[in-house]
């Protein structure tokens, strides 16, 4: 089905000058209509720019695009990644044990359960000291090597759930710059370090270079016998991992997209460092969001409403960026995770059938944890000429020691200020009240004016727990999926990343040859000459 944008465009034109703050009086049911509880999260989308008519038009768009039927195809394991002929079945990874998922008709749940059980058994053995390194010492550190989806998800999980003084230290290496590896290895002892190499394809240049460096580091500090116990592979290509030197591998299938893979063995390092129970609880939180996504009607469906708010901003009101501010130090990596999840999934220029898109697709997604972002780019969000929708992820209790003032109060203040703003008359009166003379008040009032009417969504959780983290990440995954359905794009391939990879190899060949090839453009040739 193809979305019918007619009513959407009409409503967007009609709403262009509407003031958000006025909509609460115009529609007394607004807060109730545009807020909901789902899987331990509370969402408030009532500060979005839509009027009630705009909101209804967005729901009409979702219905016309066939979101419900597409959702069924996702969960039924059909080949919705059409350019690669693959199913997209990350929900199968987090379903309760004994599920009945099929990928392209093939049953997968028994294998998923078996890998989960294997991971739990291995993690328990490492944690208890039953599984040791080559010299008989227990593992006290893990170096997780991977990039993109093989890095960002586990990093979010570790930062969000790690104890202050972990029994097993977990460090991540993604960058091919040797400095990254050098920092990760500093202070570690090969005898007590486990290296986990994570790569779906086991062909990624950065990961293989880092894995070779880690192998050399292990070889320099350990006897050959038993050294392979320090070097584990996680991959959808176990034969390649074994050929590379991984004696033990944990596998996942090609129907797990890289940026949707944190629910699989890709999180093995976290399963070991946090414990299998924590991982299972996170899976359960994500499964609760899956259940909500599948069962809730579209107008009460958290991922659907989040997707519609984004499409309203991007396609209805021409706002091609969105900022995400988690008000919890534990969620500091969320913006980086979302950048890949959203921009690699939905940064697309052609429809599923290959024809060019006629609407905008994924916005630029950026962010920093609150309140740090407030002291950096929020100036632009409040007073810049472009409107940048904001998303606040707010946690009631971020830490056992209560802060001086609750962090969430800052998020509420930001959302309110963005929506309400401050008129020049108000700014003028405040200046006079603060003792400025009339000339100074005249001079400064426009600088202290806030246009307001800037939209935001607020997502609330009581605490960052494995369950709420799982639900939050699954919420974003499904939001992404719904957007892809409405935009009629394939959210599950990433051809845009490929060209850079191919050209990097060609340029490396020129570097080795010591001169730019004739095929290079003058600028790139000049840079190569300057750098080589
Ligand atoms: O950046 C492109 C990409 O293909 C991502 O989609 C993927 O998560 C990442 O590279 C790493 O790939 P792999 O897990 O195969 O090493």
């Amino acid at each position: 089905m193809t979305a019918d944008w007619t009513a959407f465009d009409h409503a967007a034109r009609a709403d262009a000058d509407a003031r958000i703050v006025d909509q609460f009086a115009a529609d007394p049911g607004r807060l109730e209509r545009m807020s909901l509880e789902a899987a331990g999260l509370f969402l408030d989308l009532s500060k979005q720019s839509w009027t009630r008519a705009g909101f209804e038009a967005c729901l009409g768009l979702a219905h016309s695009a066939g979101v419900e039927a597409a959702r069924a195809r996702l969960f039924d394991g059909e080949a919705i990644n059409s350019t690669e002929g693959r199913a997209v079945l990350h929900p199968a990874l987090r379903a309760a044990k004994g599920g009945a998922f099929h990928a392209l008709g093939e049953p997968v749940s028994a294998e998923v359960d078996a890998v989960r059980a294997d991971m739990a058994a291995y993690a328990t053995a490492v944690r208890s000291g039953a599984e040791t390194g080559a010299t008989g010492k227990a593992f006290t550190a893990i170096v997780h090597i991977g990039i993109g989806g093989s890095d960002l998800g586990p990093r979010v999980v570790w930062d969000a759930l790690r104890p202050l003084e972990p029994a097993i230290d977990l460090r991540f290496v993604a960058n091919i710059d040797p400095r990254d590896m050098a920092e990760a290895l500093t202070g570690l002892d090969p005898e007590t370090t486990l290296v986990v190499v994570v790569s779906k394809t086991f062909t990624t240049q950065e990961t293989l270079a880092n894995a070779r460096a880690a192998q050399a580091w292990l070889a320099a500090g350990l006897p050959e016998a038993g050294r392979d116990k320090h070097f584990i592979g996680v991959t959808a290509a176990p034969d390649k991992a074994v050929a590379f030197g991984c004696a033990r591998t944990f596998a996942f299938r090609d129907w797990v997209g890289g940026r949707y893979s944190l629910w699989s063995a890709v999180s093995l390092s976290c399963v070991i460092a946090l414990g299998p129970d924590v991982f299972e609880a996170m899976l359960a939180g994500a499964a609760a969001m899956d259940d909500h996504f599948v069962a809730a009607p579209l107008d009460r469906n958290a991922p659907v409403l989040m997707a519609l708010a984004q499409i309203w901003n991007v396609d209805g009101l021409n706002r091609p960026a969105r900022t995400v501010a988690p008000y919890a130090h534990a969620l500091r990596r969320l913006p980086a995770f979302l950048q890949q999840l959203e921009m690699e999934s939905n940064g697309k220029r052609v429809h599923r059938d290959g024809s060019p898109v006629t609407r905008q697709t994924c916005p630029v997604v950026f962010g920093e944890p609150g309140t740090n972002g407030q002291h950096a780019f929020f100036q632009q969000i409040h007073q810049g000429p472009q409107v940048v929708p904001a998303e606040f992820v707010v946690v009631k209790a971020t830490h056992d020691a209560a802060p001086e003032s609750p962090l969430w109060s800052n998020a509420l203040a930001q959302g309110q200020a963005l929506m309400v703003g401050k008129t020049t008359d108000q700014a003028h009166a405040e200046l006079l009240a603060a003792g400025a003379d009339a000339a100074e008040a005249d001079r400064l009032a426009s600088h202290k004016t806030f246009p307001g009417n800037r939209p935001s969504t607020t997502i609330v959780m009581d605490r960052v727990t494995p369950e709420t983290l799982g639900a939050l990440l699954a919420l974003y995954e499904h939001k992404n999926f719904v957007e892809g359905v409405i935009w009629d794009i394939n959210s599950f391939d990433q051809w845009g990343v490929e060209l850079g990879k191919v050209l990097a190899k060609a340029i490396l060949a020129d570097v080795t040859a010591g001169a730019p090839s004739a095929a290079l453009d003058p600028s790139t040739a000049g840079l190569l000459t300057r750098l080589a």
Side-chain angles (χ1 to χ4, degrees), residues 397-404 463:
T398 54
H399 188 62
D400 293 336
E404 223 173 88
R463 278 182 170 270

Side-chain angles (χ1 to χ4, degrees), residues 33 35-39 41 43 59 62-63 66-69 71-72 75 287-306 308 475 478 481-482:
R33 195 183 329 283
S35 60
L36 74 160
E37 289 277 354
L41 309 179
L43 275 69
L59 287 169
H63 281 290
V67 166
E68 284 158 314
R71 180 181 62 190
F75 280 82
M289 183 56 75
D290 291 339
D291 292 346
H292 165 82
F293 179 51
V294 168
L298 296 192
D299 63 343
R300 302 299 297 157
N301 197 305
V304 173
L305 295 189
M306 294 267 296
L308 292 176
L475 166 70
H478 291 317
F481 167 75
V482 172

